[in-house]
Amino acid sequence: MITNIKLIRMKIIPSELNDKPTEFYQKFMKTLKKHKMGNCGELVKLFNFILDLNGVKAEKALLAPSDLNHCVSIIPLKKGAINDENFINTPMSKLKDVLIADPWLDAIGY
């Protein structure tokens, strides 16, 4: 069964692969606003884009192995912090020199 969020992702993935970043993010935001829907992946993508605009590099990371289908943003606090870690064998709670940000609050304020 395909969920609504998967259908939305199917609409924006071709743009991400083929368009310039400015075009992609315009389509990305238009699609999210139109359908009033997004999930952790979309929020992390937007969060990392805003960080990048401000000169802060971040990476998307899946919470795996886990029963949760969830991703977060990892921000290195020193050069090489992400490259030096073995994400497969190191639990996120044990990572050093990185900041883990989770923009998914599961709540929308009106």
Side-chain angles (χ1 to χ4, degrees):
M1 182 169 113
I2 295 181
T3 63
N4 288 340
I5 198 72
K6 287 183 182 178
L7 290 171
I8 290 170
R9 287 178 182 159
M10 288 169 52
K11 286 184 176 183
I12 60 176
I13 287 173
S15 175
E16 186 173 21
L17 298 175
N18 299 312
D19 295 338
K20 293 178 182 178
T22 52
E23 293 172 25
F24 162 69
Y25 278 102
Q26 286 175 344
K27 290 178 183 177
F28 178 71
M29 291 306 299
K30 184 178 179 180
T31 301
L32 294 181
K33 286 175 84 174
K34 177 182 176 183
H35 297 284
K36 296 179 175 50
M37 189 178 297
N39 212 340
C40 58
E42 288 74 30
L43 290 173
V44 166
K45 185 178 297 297
L46 186 58
F47 182 83
N48 286 354
F49 175 67
I50 293 167
L51 287 175
D52 190 45
L53 288 175
N54 288 283
V56 177
K57 296 297 178 193
E59 297 288 331
K60 176 180 168 183
L62 298 175
L63 294 182
S66 172
D67 291 336
L68 297 173
N69 182 9
H70 188 62
C71 62
V72 296
S73 182
I74 295 180
I75 305 164
L77 298 176
K78 71 175 193 176
K79 191 173 184 176
I82 292 177
N83 298 334
D84 295 342
E85 294 291 348
N86 181 339
F87 291 104
I88 295 171
N89 297 323
T90 305
M92 285 195 177
S93 62
K94 303 291 183 192
L95 293 177
K96 295 183 172 113
D97 301 317
V98 298
L99 178 67
I100 300 168
D102 187 351
W104 174 255
L105 298 176
D106 198 25
I108 298 173
Y110 293 98

